mmCIF file of all heavy atoms in Angstrom:
data_model
loop_
_atom_site.group_PDB
_atom_site.id
_atom_site.type_symbol
_atom_site.label_atom_id
_atom_site.label_comp_id
_atom_site.label_asym_id
_atom_site.label_seq_id
_atom_site.Cartn_x
_atom_site.Cartn_y
_atom_site.Cartn_z
ATOM 1 N N TYR A 1 -30.391 -9.832 15.068
ATOM 2 C CA TYR A 1 -29.695 -8.555 15.271
ATOM 3 C C TYR A 1 -29.238 -7.999 13.944
ATOM 4 O O TYR A 1 -29.412 -6.817 13.654
ATOM 5 C CB TYR A 1 -28.469 -8.763 16.189
ATOM 6 C CG TYR A 1 -27.799 -7.496 16.609
ATOM 7 C CD1 TYR A 1 -28.171 -6.815 17.763
ATOM 8 C CD2 TYR A 1 -26.780 -6.905 15.861
ATOM 9 C CE1 TYR A 1 -27.583 -5.634 18.166
ATOM 10 C CE2 TYR A 1 -26.182 -5.707 16.233
ATOM 11 C CZ TYR A 1 -26.601 -5.095 17.390
ATOM 12 O OH TYR A 1 -25.982 -3.904 17.760
ATOM 13 N N ARG A 2 -28.638 -8.831 13.112
ATOM 14 C CA ARG A 2 -28.178 -8.438 11.793
ATOM 15 C C ARG A 2 -29.361 -7.943 10.927
ATOM 16 O O ARG A 2 -29.282 -6.945 10.235
ATOM 17 C CB ARG A 2 -27.442 -9.568 11.142
ATOM 18 C CG ARG A 2 -26.744 -9.245 9.858
ATOM 19 C CD ARG A 2 -25.832 -10.358 9.380
ATOM 20 N NE ARG A 2 -26.588 -11.595 9.138
ATOM 21 C CZ ARG A 2 -26.446 -12.718 9.797
ATOM 22 N NH1 ARG A 2 -25.550 -12.804 10.804
ATOM 23 N NH2 ARG A 2 -27.145 -13.808 9.512
ATOM 24 N N GLU A 3 -30.490 -8.699 11.030
ATOM 25 C CA GLU A 3 -31.674 -8.338 10.275
ATOM 26 C C GLU A 3 -32.169 -6.943 10.636
ATOM 27 O O GLU A 3 -32.542 -6.156 9.749
ATOM 28 C CB GLU A 3 -32.775 -9.408 10.547
ATOM 29 C CG GLU A 3 -34.112 -9.096 9.935
ATOM 30 C CD GLU A 3 -35.180 -10.067 10.435
ATOM 31 O OE1 GLU A 3 -34.836 -11.218 10.759
ATOM 32 O OE2 GLU A 3 -36.341 -9.660 10.504
ATOM 33 N N PHE A 4 -32.194 -6.631 11.908
ATOM 34 C CA PHE A 4 -32.709 -5.343 12.364
ATOM 35 C C PHE A 4 -31.818 -4.206 11.866
ATOM 36 O O PHE A 4 -32.301 -3.197 11.310
ATOM 37 C CB PHE A 4 -32.821 -5.289 13.889
ATOM 38 C CG PHE A 4 -33.413 -3.984 14.400
ATOM 39 C CD1 PHE A 4 -34.783 -3.882 14.598
ATOM 40 C CD2 PHE A 4 -32.597 -2.904 14.649
ATOM 41 C CE1 PHE A 4 -35.306 -2.679 15.052
ATOM 42 C CE2 PHE A 4 -33.135 -1.708 15.107
ATOM 43 C CZ PHE A 4 -34.500 -1.588 15.297
ATOM 44 N N ILE A 5 -30.511 -4.333 12.041
ATOM 45 C CA ILE A 5 -29.576 -3.275 11.646
ATOM 46 C C ILE A 5 -29.700 -3.019 10.156
ATOM 47 O O ILE A 5 -29.799 -1.880 9.687
ATOM 48 C CB ILE A 5 -28.132 -3.642 12.021
ATOM 49 C CG1 ILE A 5 -27.951 -3.710 13.544
ATOM 50 C CG2 ILE A 5 -27.169 -2.614 11.395
ATOM 51 C CD1 ILE A 5 -28.102 -2.398 14.255
ATOM 52 N N GLN A 6 -29.694 -4.096 9.348
ATOM 53 C CA GLN A 6 -29.810 -3.936 7.904
ATOM 54 C C GLN A 6 -31.126 -3.304 7.489
ATOM 55 O O GLN A 6 -31.151 -2.427 6.616
ATOM 56 C CB GLN A 6 -29.630 -5.286 7.242
ATOM 57 C CG GLN A 6 -28.228 -5.867 7.345
ATOM 58 C CD GLN A 6 -28.107 -7.289 6.784
ATOM 59 O OE1 GLN A 6 -29.017 -7.787 6.159
ATOM 60 N NE2 GLN A 6 -26.962 -7.882 7.000
ATOM 61 N N SER A 7 -32.228 -3.730 8.096
ATOM 62 C CA SER A 7 -33.510 -3.177 7.746
ATOM 63 C C SER A 7 -33.583 -1.683 8.025
ATOM 64 O O SER A 7 -34.234 -0.930 7.269
ATOM 65 C CB SER A 7 -34.641 -3.903 8.494
ATOM 66 O OG SER A 7 -34.593 -3.616 9.888
ATOM 67 N N GLN A 8 -32.961 -1.244 9.108
ATOM 68 C CA GLN A 8 -32.980 0.193 9.465
ATOM 69 C C GLN A 8 -32.090 0.974 8.485
ATOM 70 O O GLN A 8 -32.492 2.058 7.978
ATOM 71 C CB GLN A 8 -32.506 0.389 10.892
ATOM 72 C CG GLN A 8 -33.433 -0.203 11.934
ATOM 73 C CD GLN A 8 -34.793 0.423 11.955
ATOM 74 O OE1 GLN A 8 -34.913 1.650 12.069
ATOM 75 N NE2 GLN A 8 -35.824 -0.398 11.800
ATOM 76 N N LEU A 9 -30.896 0.485 8.239
ATOM 77 C CA LEU A 9 -29.974 1.245 7.378
ATOM 78 C C LEU A 9 -30.465 1.360 5.934
ATOM 79 O O LEU A 9 -30.381 2.432 5.333
ATOM 80 C CB LEU A 9 -28.603 0.537 7.361
ATOM 81 C CG LEU A 9 -27.676 0.767 8.591
ATOM 82 C CD1 LEU A 9 -26.401 -0.018 8.380
ATOM 83 C CD2 LEU A 9 -27.380 2.243 8.798
ATOM 84 N N LEU A 10 -30.957 0.277 5.390
ATOM 85 C CA LEU A 10 -31.302 0.266 3.969
ATOM 86 C C LEU A 10 -32.525 1.051 3.635
ATOM 87 O O LEU A 10 -32.824 1.213 2.434
ATOM 88 C CB LEU A 10 -31.435 -1.202 3.478
ATOM 89 C CG LEU A 10 -30.158 -2.059 3.608
ATOM 90 C CD1 LEU A 10 -30.388 -3.407 3.002
ATOM 91 C CD2 LEU A 10 -28.962 -1.378 2.963
ATOM 92 N N LYS A 11 -33.239 1.545 4.628
ATOM 93 C CA LYS A 11 -34.401 2.412 4.327
ATOM 94 C C LYS A 11 -34.175 3.875 4.732
ATOM 95 O O LYS A 11 -35.092 4.679 4.659
ATOM 96 C CB LYS A 11 -35.641 1.842 5.010
ATOM 97 C CG LYS A 11 -35.661 1.921 6.523
ATOM 98 C CD LYS A 11 -36.863 1.302 7.106
ATOM 99 C CE LYS A 11 -36.939 1.409 8.629
ATOM 100 N NZ LYS A 11 -38.111 0.749 9.239
ATOM 101 N N MET A 12 -32.969 4.191 5.179
ATOM 102 C CA MET A 12 -32.710 5.551 5.669
ATOM 103 C C MET A 12 -32.592 6.536 4.500
ATOM 104 O O MET A 12 -31.888 6.248 3.521
ATOM 105 C CB MET A 12 -31.409 5.600 6.486
ATOM 106 C CG MET A 12 -31.553 5.101 7.887
ATOM 107 S SD MET A 12 -30.064 5.356 8.866
ATOM 108 C CE MET A 12 -30.636 4.840 10.454
ATOM 109 N N PRO A 13 -33.258 7.659 4.587
ATOM 110 C CA PRO A 13 -33.036 8.691 3.568
ATOM 111 C C PRO A 13 -31.604 9.226 3.653
ATOM 112 O O PRO A 13 -31.001 9.221 4.725
ATOM 113 C CB PRO A 13 -34.069 9.785 3.922
ATOM 114 C CG PRO A 13 -34.313 9.570 5.419
ATOM 115 C CD PRO A 13 -34.150 8.074 5.661
ATOM 116 N N ARG A 14 -31.089 9.667 2.523
ATOM 117 C CA ARG A 14 -29.760 10.248 2.416
ATOM 118 C C ARG A 14 -28.624 9.246 2.646
ATOM 119 O O ARG A 14 -27.466 9.649 2.788
ATOM 120 C CB ARG A 14 -29.562 11.436 3.397
ATOM 121 C CG ARG A 14 -30.447 12.599 3.128
ATOM 122 C CD ARG A 14 -30.177 13.798 4.025
ATOM 123 N NE ARG A 14 -30.380 13.475 5.417
ATOM 124 C CZ ARG A 14 -31.540 13.561 6.045
ATOM 125 N NH1 ARG A 14 -32.595 13.974 5.384
ATOM 126 N NH2 ARG A 14 -31.637 13.299 7.308
ATOM 127 N N LEU A 15 -28.907 7.964 2.714
ATOM 128 C CA LEU A 15 -27.864 6.933 2.928
ATOM 129 C C LEU A 15 -27.825 5.959 1.734
ATOM 130 O O LEU A 15 -28.825 5.318 1.408
ATOM 131 C CB LEU A 15 -28.085 6.157 4.226
ATOM 132 C CG LEU A 15 -27.091 5.053 4.503
ATOM 133 C CD1 LEU A 15 -25.663 5.622 4.622
ATOM 134 C CD2 LEU A 15 -27.447 4.295 5.777
ATOM 135 N N THR A 16 -26.658 5.797 1.177
ATOM 136 C CA THR A 16 -26.376 4.828 0.124
ATOM 137 C C THR A 16 -25.430 3.789 0.673
ATOM 138 O O THR A 16 -24.450 4.157 1.390
ATOM 139 C CB THR A 16 -25.738 5.494 -1.123
ATOM 140 O OG1 THR A 16 -26.660 6.509 -1.607
ATOM 141 C CG2 THR A 16 -25.497 4.464 -2.205
ATOM 142 N N VAL A 17 -25.636 2.523 0.397
ATOM 143 C CA VAL A 17 -24.797 1.452 0.870
ATOM 144 C C VAL A 17 -24.253 0.637 -0.337
ATOM 145 O O VAL A 17 -25.085 0.253 -1.197
ATOM 146 C CB VAL A 17 -25.519 0.508 1.836
ATOM 147 C CG1 VAL A 17 -24.583 -0.571 2.366
ATOM 148 C CG2 VAL A 17 -26.140 1.295 2.975
ATOM 149 N N ILE A 18 -22.956 0.446 -0.408
ATOM 150 C CA ILE A 18 -22.399 -0.375 -1.508
ATOM 151 C C ILE A 18 -21.380 -1.339 -0.930
ATOM 152 O O ILE A 18 -20.832 -1.162 0.137
ATOM 153 C CB ILE A 18 -21.679 0.491 -2.596
ATOM 154 C CG1 ILE A 18 -20.459 1.193 -2.034
ATOM 155 C CG2 ILE A 18 -22.655 1.457 -3.238
ATOM 156 C CD1 ILE A 18 -19.517 1.715 -3.083
ATOM 157 N N GLU A 19 -21.143 -2.408 -1.716
ATOM 158 C CA GLU A 19 -20.068 -3.332 -1.417
ATOM 159 C C GLU A 19 -18.803 -2.828 -2.072
ATOM 160 O O GLU A 19 -18.837 -2.321 -3.176
ATOM 161 C CB GLU A 19 -20.374 -4.712 -1.940
ATOM 162 C CG GLU A 19 -21.321 -5.509 -1.009
ATOM 163 C CD GLU A 19 -21.423 -6.943 -1.489
ATOM 164 O OE1 GLU A 19 -20.938 -7.282 -2.552
ATOM 165 O OE2 GLU A 19 -22.020 -7.730 -0.726
ATOM 166 N N GLY A 20 -17.679 -3.006 -1.403
ATOM 167 C CA GLY A 20 -16.414 -2.670 -2.000
ATOM 168 C C GLY A 20 -15.343 -2.589 -0.980
ATOM 169 O O GLY A 20 -15.568 -2.760 0.273
ATOM 170 N N SER A 21 -14.128 -2.370 -1.388
ATOM 171 C CA SER A 21 -12.984 -2.258 -0.500
ATOM 172 C C SER A 21 -12.242 -1.004 -0.803
ATOM 173 O O SER A 21 -11.956 -0.700 -1.983
ATOM 174 C CB SER A 21 -12.051 -3.473 -0.656
ATOM 175 O OG SER A 21 -10.948 -3.414 0.236
ATOM 176 N N VAL A 22 -11.961 -0.222 0.224
ATOM 177 C CA VAL A 22 -11.251 1.061 0.051
ATOM 178 C C VAL A 22 -9.750 0.783 0.048
ATOM 179 O O VAL A 22 -9.194 0.242 1.023
ATOM 180 C CB VAL A 22 -11.615 2.058 1.160
ATOM 181 C CG1 VAL A 22 -10.725 3.284 1.091
ATOM 182 C CG2 VAL A 22 -13.086 2.448 1.075
ATOM 183 N N GLU A 23 -9.105 1.139 -1.063
ATOM 184 C CA GLU A 23 -7.688 0.910 -1.207
ATOM 185 C C GLU A 23 -6.851 2.042 -0.590
ATOM 186 O O GLU A 23 -5.797 1.815 -0.043
ATOM 187 C CB GLU A 23 -7.344 0.791 -2.699
ATOM 188 C CG GLU A 23 -5.850 0.734 -3.047
ATOM 189 C CD GLU A 23 -5.177 -0.537 -2.554
ATOM 190 O OE1 GLU A 23 -5.850 -1.555 -2.472
ATOM 191 O OE2 GLU A 23 -3.983 -0.455 -2.230
ATOM 192 N N ASP A 24 -7.380 3.282 -0.676
ATOM 193 C CA ASP A 24 -6.557 4.392 -0.278
ATOM 194 C C ASP A 24 -7.454 5.615 -0.030
ATOM 195 O O ASP A 24 -8.612 5.592 -0.371
ATOM 196 C CB ASP A 24 -5.528 4.697 -1.374
ATOM 197 C CG ASP A 24 -4.279 5.425 -0.820
ATOM 198 O OD1 ASP A 24 -4.260 5.766 0.359
ATOM 199 O OD2 ASP A 24 -3.343 5.606 -1.619
ATOM 200 N N LEU A 25 -6.866 6.618 0.615
ATOM 201 C CA LEU A 25 -7.542 7.893 0.795
ATOM 202 C C LEU A 25 -7.056 8.875 -0.256
ATOM 203 O O LEU A 25 -5.897 8.847 -0.686
ATOM 204 C CB LEU A 25 -7.211 8.453 2.179
ATOM 205 C CG LEU A 25 -7.673 7.614 3.380
ATOM 206 C CD1 LEU A 25 -7.089 8.188 4.668
ATOM 207 C CD2 LEU A 25 -9.188 7.559 3.475
ATOM 208 N N ILE A 26 -7.959 9.755 -0.656
ATOM 209 C CA ILE A 26 -7.589 10.875 -1.553
ATOM 210 C C ILE A 26 -7.269 12.043 -0.655
ATOM 211 O O ILE A 26 -8.100 12.530 0.097
ATOM 212 C CB ILE A 26 -8.725 11.220 -2.520
ATOM 213 C CG1 ILE A 26 -9.134 9.975 -3.329
ATOM 214 C CG2 ILE A 26 -8.281 12.316 -3.474
ATOM 215 C CD1 ILE A 26 -10.382 10.197 -4.168
ATOM 216 N N VAL A 27 -6.027 12.518 -0.743
ATOM 217 C CA VAL A 27 -5.566 13.535 0.204
ATOM 218 C C VAL A 27 -4.979 14.715 -0.590
ATOM 219 O O VAL A 27 -4.286 14.553 -1.602
ATOM 220 C CB VAL A 27 -4.462 12.972 1.139
ATOM 221 C CG1 VAL A 27 -3.945 14.057 2.111
ATOM 222 C CG2 VAL A 27 -4.964 11.768 1.903
ATOM 223 N N SER A 28 -5.280 15.917 -0.123
ATOM 224 C CA SER A 28 -4.729 17.131 -0.715
ATOM 225 C C SER A 28 -4.242 18.029 0.408
ATOM 226 O O SER A 28 -4.565 17.796 1.583
ATOM 227 C CB SER A 28 -5.784 17.865 -1.575
ATOM 228 O OG SER A 28 -6.889 18.260 -0.776
ATOM 229 N N ALA A 29 -3.548 19.074 0.044
ATOM 230 C CA ALA A 29 -3.019 20.006 1.035
ATOM 231 C C ALA A 29 -4.094 21.079 1.340
ATOM 232 O O ALA A 29 -4.716 21.601 0.411
ATOM 233 C CB ALA A 29 -1.779 20.706 0.529
ATOM 234 N N ALA A 30 -4.369 21.311 2.625
ATOM 235 C CA ALA A 30 -5.332 22.305 3.018
ATOM 236 C C ALA A 30 -4.659 23.679 3.128
ATOM 237 O O ALA A 30 -3.439 23.782 3.094
ATOM 238 C CB ALA A 30 -5.974 21.944 4.355
ATOM 239 N N ASP A 31 -5.482 24.743 3.253
ATOM 240 C CA ASP A 31 -4.916 26.119 3.384
ATOM 241 C C ASP A 31 -4.056 26.254 4.581
ATOM 242 O O ASP A 31 -3.099 27.043 4.586
ATOM 243 C CB ASP A 31 -6.081 27.109 3.412
ATOM 244 C CG ASP A 31 -6.912 27.105 2.125
ATOM 245 O OD1 ASP A 31 -6.363 26.673 1.065
ATOM 246 O OD2 ASP A 31 -8.110 27.486 2.198
ATOM 247 N N SER A 32 -4.360 25.526 5.627
ATOM 248 C CA SER A 32 -3.618 25.643 6.880
ATOM 249 C C SER A 32 -2.265 24.932 6.829
ATOM 250 O O SER A 32 -1.475 24.996 7.770
ATOM 251 C CB SER A 32 -4.451 25.054 8.029
ATOM 252 O OG SER A 32 -4.680 23.678 7.785
ATOM 253 N N GLY A 33 -2.025 24.222 5.710
ATOM 254 C CA GLY A 33 -0.760 23.455 5.636
ATOM 255 C C GLY A 33 -0.990 22.007 6.041
ATOM 256 O O GLY A 33 -0.113 21.161 5.830
ATOM 257 N N LYS A 34 -2.112 21.673 6.651
ATOM 258 C CA LYS A 34 -2.412 20.289 7.034
ATOM 259 C C LYS A 34 -2.892 19.535 5.785
ATOM 260 O O LYS A 34 -3.215 20.117 4.766
ATOM 261 C CB LYS A 34 -3.515 20.281 8.107
ATOM 262 C CG LYS A 34 -3.099 20.869 9.419
ATOM 263 C CD LYS A 34 -4.259 20.717 10.421
ATOM 264 C CE LYS A 34 -3.899 21.280 11.793
ATOM 265 N NZ LYS A 34 -5.043 21.140 12.733
#
């Protein structure tokens, strides 16, 4: 199962895969105030 999912993802156009851990989100104020 793991082999199939990886083989499909790693050959998809427009998709990049990296290892890493997301520490935080980058957030700004939108025009709507949100």
Side-chain angles (χ1 to χ4, degrees):
Y1 189 90
R2 189 170 60 244
E3 174 189 331
F4 183 91
I5 295 293
Q6 292 175 7
S7 68
Q8 295 297 304
L9 282 179
L10 298 184
K11 68 182 182 183
M12 281 186 175
R14 296 185 298 274
L15 177 61
T16 302
V17 183
I18 65 164
E19 280 189 351
S21 183
V22 172
E23 172 68 30
D24 205 353
L25 298 171
I26 304 172
V27 181
S28 63
D31 297 336
S32 61
K34 294 182 178 181

